């Protein structure tokens, strides 16, 4: 059983990973299927160096794993439940966005 501190740390790592749009795009791509970095860089339209830096962050957060395949490395989500969590977050965000229950949403653009 996880402790409250461990739960908070896990959520903080997930939040840190989702704080960058490129890392979000990487996670969503890996949600669809595991991929090799060169293919991901081409698919996402970013440099391999930039992708490598983001993959390192996602590995450090514990969200993706590198799997050796011959002389290449393939990346995939560390746990298939992360794909479901990403789907849940996306639909929750869409629901919040269309709901606009925040009273300051129109004037401050905060939500």
């Amino acid at each position: 059983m996880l402790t409250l501190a461990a739960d908070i740390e896990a959520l903080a790592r997930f939040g840190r990973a989702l704080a960058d749009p490129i890392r979000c795009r990487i996670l969503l791509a890996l949600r669809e299927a595991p991929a090799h970095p060169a293919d991901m860089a081409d698919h996402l339209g970013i440099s391999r160096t930039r992708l490598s830096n983001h993959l390192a962050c996602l590995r450090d957060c514990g969200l993706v794993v590198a799997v050796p395949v011959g002389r290449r490395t393939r990346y995939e989500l560390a746990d298939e439940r992360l794909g479901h969590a990403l789907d849940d977050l996306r639909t929750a965000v869409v629901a919040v966005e269309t709901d606009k229950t925040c009273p300051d949403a129109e004037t401050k653009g905060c939500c």
Side-chain angles (χ1 to χ4, degrees):
M1 179 173 195
L2 290 175
T3 65
L4 181 59
D7 289 342
I8 291 170
E9 177 58 30
L11 289 173
R13 283 193 321 248
F14 200 64
R16 191 167 36 253
L18 294 176
D20 185 276
I22 291 175
R23 288 194 294 271
C24 289
R25 291 174 60 207
I26 293 168
L27 288 170
L28 291 173
L30 292 176
R31 181 181 118 269
E32 297 298 323
H36 296 281
D39 299 332
M40 266 194 289
D42 291 342
H43 175 73
L44 298 173
I46 61 174
S47 72
R48 292 179 185 186
T49 301
R50 194 168 186 192
L51 177 74
S52 178
N53 291 335
H54 287 289
L55 286 171
C57 176
L58 292 170
R59 276 193 322 269
D60 290 345
C61 289
L63 299 180
V64 302
V65 292
V67 179
V69 180
R71 293 176 33 184
R72 297 178 73 190
T73 300
R74 182 185 72 222
Y75 281 84
E76 57 190 48
L77 295 178
D79 186 318
E80 69 181 36
R81 292 175 291 182
L82 290 170
H84 299 294
L86 290 166
D87 287 337
D88 289 344
L89 284 170
R90 283 185 26 238
T91 56
V93 168
V94 169
V96 169
E97 185 175 299
T98 58
D99 188 352
K100 296 276 190 192
T101 56
C102 176
D104 295 329
E106 294 298 319
T107 58
K108 295 183 180 175
C110 59
C111 298

